[in-house]
């Protein structure tokens, strides 16, 4: 029996992303851009904070660490809070927190006040991404998750690239205050649009709040990430500043695992790991985030420290990576909905691994066209990897599980990214410390007196050694990407079936 042509046409129409979904996606992307950009844009401003507030680099860097730890603390609460208060109301509240925190940051009078206000900002920012994923997934329905996740992936990829460019321009043209004040008009627009466009939700809170889970998971995650993020500054894992918080945090997280498996409604639903697709997606995302976010700091550092480029120039040179990702991401999103994520993710990781392997040959005079070409190809692979992996985790969940699944994936992303960044930082620092000429050459880019005192041949040798240290560090990122192929091999390679029990999601038209 054949399906009538008009029925096929109706099915095809229902399968397309309609204007209602695109409106919701636009609001979510607006909030995500603010949240993610603020992670990277402040990195550029740390030397400015150090100068203006007369403090050390290590203390100024807490403007980054405080924000990250606030994110880690609040993400575990998002799943429960979304069920309790509704995604629309909670998203608007998160926007308000983020905007208020941004305005307060612009009024900071010393480094301590800035760090405190960054924590307030992070409490709002931490909820925006998992809530955005939940809202978009509910709006699109299970058959269109790949495409809406591709839309949400744009700010996740552009943040690391656009942050240094935007931050450098705002600081050079105006002042550091504007890297925070720019969030005020954007946030107000996002708040109005969220109120107008997001569908009304009617939460029916039936679950009690897991207080013990909160006391274990949120401080545990924050303490563990604090220990891990202290590794680059300390230069060793053996430091008390690293070991004590990391061990305490790990102990709290292990205790939470035992608690969550025995509790009917835990703060983070670990029983979702029974879902095979989510399990392999989490393993893939863990290794990928370690490689991607870890290696993300290498190229900007290479361009500034070895090639002597400004922050703005470094950001522009890395832009081809984002352009490549923007080309393949919409295509990958459509294909994931039709044939499943497995083949797409394997292809993307393979392309990225080949590109990363090419960067292991980087030298002090590698031509920029060649470098930009490699980054563009890597971006093509990146667009086929991150959001399709997220889709693999979420598309087989029921309507009621999506908020918890989004929360879980964001925790994995945040934790793995921090571990990857710390690992890559330690490897690079160790390699540079064993090359004194390299450290001297890098110092000459920041201090003209060094360049005047050291003979040119010695400096040239130092830059060669520095480039070699970066090249060897790219080997670690390449190995992590190759390891990602193992769990990715088990991701679904067919169009996913609808979840077993779906609580009739409200598909927006």
């Amino acid at each position: 029996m054949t399906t009538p042509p008009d029925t096929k046409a109706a099915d095809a129409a229902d399968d397309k992303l309609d204007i209602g979904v695109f409106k919701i996606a636009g609001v979510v992307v607006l909030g995500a851009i603010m949240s993610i950009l603020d992670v990277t844009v402040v990195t550029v401003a740390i030397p400015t904070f150090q100068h203006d507030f007369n403090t050390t680099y290590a203390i100024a860097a807490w403007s980054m660490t405080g924000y990250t730890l606030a994110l880690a603390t609040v993400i575990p609460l998002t799943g429960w809070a979304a069920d309790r208060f509704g995604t629309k109301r909670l998203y608007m509240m998160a926007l308000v927190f983020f905007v208020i925190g941004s305005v307060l940051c612009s009024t900071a009078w010393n480094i301590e006040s800035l760090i405190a206000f960054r924590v307030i900002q992070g409490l709002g920012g931490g909820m925006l991404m998992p809530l955005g994923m939940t809202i978009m997934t509910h709006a699109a329905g299970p058959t269109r998750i790949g495409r809406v996740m591709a839309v949400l992936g744009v700010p996740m990829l552009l943040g690391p690239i656009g942050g240094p460019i935007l931050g450098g321009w705002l600081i050079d043209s105006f002042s550091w205050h504007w890297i925070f004040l720019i969030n005020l008009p954007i946030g107000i627009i996002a708040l109005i649009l969220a109120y107008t466009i997001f569908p009304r939700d009617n939460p029916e809170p039936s679950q009690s709040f897991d207080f013990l889970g909160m006391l274990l998971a949120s401080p545990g995650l924050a303490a563990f990430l604090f220990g891990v993020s202290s590794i680059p500054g300390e230069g060793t894992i053996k430091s008390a500043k690293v070991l004590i918080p990391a061990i305490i945090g790990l102990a709290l997280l292990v205790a939470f695992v035992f608690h969550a498996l025995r509790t009917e409604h835990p703060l983070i639903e670990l029983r979702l790991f029974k879902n095979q697709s989510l399990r392999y997606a989490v393993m893939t995302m863990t290794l990928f985030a370690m490689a991607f976010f870890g290696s993300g700091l290498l190229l900007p550092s290479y361009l500034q420290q070895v090639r002597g480029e400004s922050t703005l120039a470094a950001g522009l040179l890395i832009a081809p990576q984002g352009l490549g990702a923007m080309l393949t991401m919409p295509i990958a999103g459509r294909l994931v909905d039709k044939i499943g994520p497995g083949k797409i993710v394997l292809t993307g990781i393979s392309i990225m691994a080949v590109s990363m392997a090419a960067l292991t040959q980087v030298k002090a005079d590698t031509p920029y066209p060649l470098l930009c070409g490699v980054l563009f190809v890597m971006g093509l692979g990146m667009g086929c990897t991150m959001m399709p992996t997220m889709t693999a985790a979420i598309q087989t969940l029921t309507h009621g599980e999506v908020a918890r699944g989004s929360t879980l994936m964001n925790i994995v992303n945040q934790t793995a990214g921090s571990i990857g960044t710390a690992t890559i930082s330690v490897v690079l620092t160790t390699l540079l410390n064993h090359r004194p000429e390299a450290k001297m050459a890098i110092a000459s880019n920041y201090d003209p007196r060094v360049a005047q005192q050291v003979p040119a041949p010695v400096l040239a040798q130092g830059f060669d050694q520095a480039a070699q240290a970066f090249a060897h560090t790219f080997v670690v990122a390449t190995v992590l990407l190759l390891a990602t192929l193992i769990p990715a091999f088990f991701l679904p390679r067919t169009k996913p079936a609808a979840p077993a029990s779906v609580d009739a999601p409200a598909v927006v038209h």
Side-chain angles (χ1 to χ4, degrees):
M1 179 178 177
T2 58
T3 305
D6 57 341
T7 305
K8 288 182 178 179
D11 290 343
D14 286 342
D15 199 43
K16 290 181 179 178
L17 290 182
D18 49 72
I19 189 66
V21 175
F22 274 118
K23 285 180 179 178
I24 291 173
V27 181
V28 170
V29 166
L30 205 57
I33 284 175
M34 286 195 304
S35 173
I36 295 170
L37 272 180
D38 250 52
V39 175
T40 54
V41 78
V42 174
T43 308
V44 182
I46 289 178
T48 306
F49 297 153
Q50 183 182 354
H51 177 268
D52 287 6
F53 294 134
N54 192 27
T55 186
T56 64
Y57 185 90
I59 294 176
W62 264 95
S63 59
M64 276 288 298
T65 308
Y67 183 86
T68 304
L69 295 183
L71 253 66
T73 302
V74 79
I75 286 175
L77 301 172
T78 308
W80 171 84
D83 292 339
R84 175 66 178 81
F85 301 107
T87 51
K88 178 176 181 176
R89 273 179 272 183
L90 191 62
Y91 190 88
M92 292 176 65
M93 187 189 77
L95 275 175
V96 169
F97 257 92
F98 186 83
V99 171
I100 290 174
S102 298
V103 173
L104 288 173
C105 285
S106 71
T107 68
W109 55 91
N110 57 27
I111 192 63
E112 291 81 10
S113 61
L114 177 63
I115 293 167
F117 296 148
R118 282 283 283 168
V119 169
I120 294 172
Q121 193 186 31
L123 293 175
M127 288 190 176
L128 289 177
M129 183 57 77
L131 282 172
M133 289 172 62
T134 302
I135 291 167
M136 286 176 64
T137 303
H138 285 170
T143 62
R144 302 184 291 182
I145 291 178
R147 279 160 287 178
V148 296
M149 293 295 276
V151 174
L152 189 56
V154 173
M156 293 185 73
L157 292 171
L158 292 184
I161 298 165
I165 298 173
L166 179 64
W169 175 70
L170 287 172
I171 292 170
D172 291 344
S173 302
F174 304 98
S175 69
W176 65 263
H177 305 81
W178 282 96
I179 65 176
F180 300 113
L181 283 174
I182 197 172
N183 289 327
L184 179 60
I186 298 174
I188 291 173
I189 292 169
L191 195 62
I192 294 170
L193 291 175
Y195 178 79
T196 307
I197 293 172
F198 284 171
R200 181 182 301 174
D201 45 18
N202 299 303
E204 297 178 2
S206 58
Q207 300 179 6
S208 57
F209 182 59
D210 182 15
F211 279 104
L212 179 57
M214 183 195 71
L215 294 175
L216 293 172
S218 290
L221 190 59
F224 177 73
L225 290 182
F226 172 73
V228 169
S229 61
S230 300
I231 294 173
E234 296 298 303
T236 175
I237 299 177
K238 298 176 182 178
S239 167
K241 188 177 179 180
V242 173
L243 283 177
I244 293 174
I247 290 172
I248 292 173
L250 203 56
L252 289 172
L253 290 174
V254 170
F256 173 77
V257 170
F258 284 104
H259 163 75
L261 294 177
R262 297 177 181 179
T263 304
E264 186 177 358
H265 300 298
L267 188 67
I268 305 170
E269 186 52 88
L270 299 181
R271 296 183 190 91
L272 292 177
F273 281 110
K274 292 179 181 178
N275 182 314
Q276 180 175 298
S277 182
L278 181 137
R279 190 163 64 244
Y280 285 120
V282 165
M283 293 166 65
T284 304
M285 179 56 70
T286 300
L287 291 169
F288 173 77
M290 288 175 66
F292 173 64
F293 291 108
S295 64
L297 64 88
L298 288 177
L299 270 171
S301 299
Y302 162 79
L303 290 168
Q304 292 175 68
Q305 296 180 352
V306 179
R307 307 300 289 266
E309 300 291 348
S310 67
T311 303
L312 182 59
L316 291 170
L317 285 166
I318 296 169
Q321 193 176 50
L323 295 176
M326 288 178 70
L327 283 177
T328 54
M329 196 175 284
I331 301 169
R334 283 196 295 270
L335 289 174
V336 165
D337 288 336
K338 294 181 182 298
I339 64 172
K343 296 174 185 176
I344 310 300
V345 174
L346 280 172
T347 302
I349 293 172
S350 300
I351 293 171
M352 286 190 69
V354 171
S355 305
M356 195 74 77
L359 292 176
T360 63
Q361 305 303 310
V362 73
K363 301 186 185 304
D365 57 354
T366 299
Y368 282 154
L370 176 61
L371 204 59
C372 289
V374 169
L375 289 175
F376 178 76
V377 174
M378 184 180 290
L380 295 176
M382 200 187 304
C384 298
T385 306
M386 180 182 288
M387 299 320 287
T389 303
M390 289 273 197
T391 303
I394 292 173
Q395 67 185 174
T396 56
L397 300 179
T398 65
H399 184 74
E401 291 173 336
V402 168
R404 303 296 178 125
S406 301
T407 298
L408 184 61
M409 289 303 289
N410 276 272
I411 291 172
V412 168
N413 204 26
Q414 183 74 40
T415 307
S418 297
I419 293 172
T421 302
T423 303
I424 295 295
S425 296
V426 169
V427 171
L428 178 62
T429 303
T430 302
L431 290 172
L432 288 174
N433 285 339
H434 285 85
R435 294 169 169 82
E437 292 88 353
K439 293 180 70 176
M440 187 166 52
I442 290 172
S444 71
N445 281 326
Y446 301 94
D447 190 345
R449 291 173 298 178
V450 176
Q452 294 169 0
Q453 295 170 1
V454 180
V458 177
L459 278 181
Q461 183 183 5
F463 283 123
D464 286 339
Q465 290 185 359
Q468 191 180 58
F470 278 93
H472 290 171
T473 309
F474 276 117
V475 173
V476 178
T478 305
V479 170
L480 284 171
L481 275 176
L482 290 172
T484 308
L485 289 169
I486 298 172
F489 181 81
F490 297 97
L491 292 176
R493 300 190 196 181
T494 56
K495 183 176 180 178
S501 60
V502 181
D503 309 331
V507 179
V508 178
H509 291 288

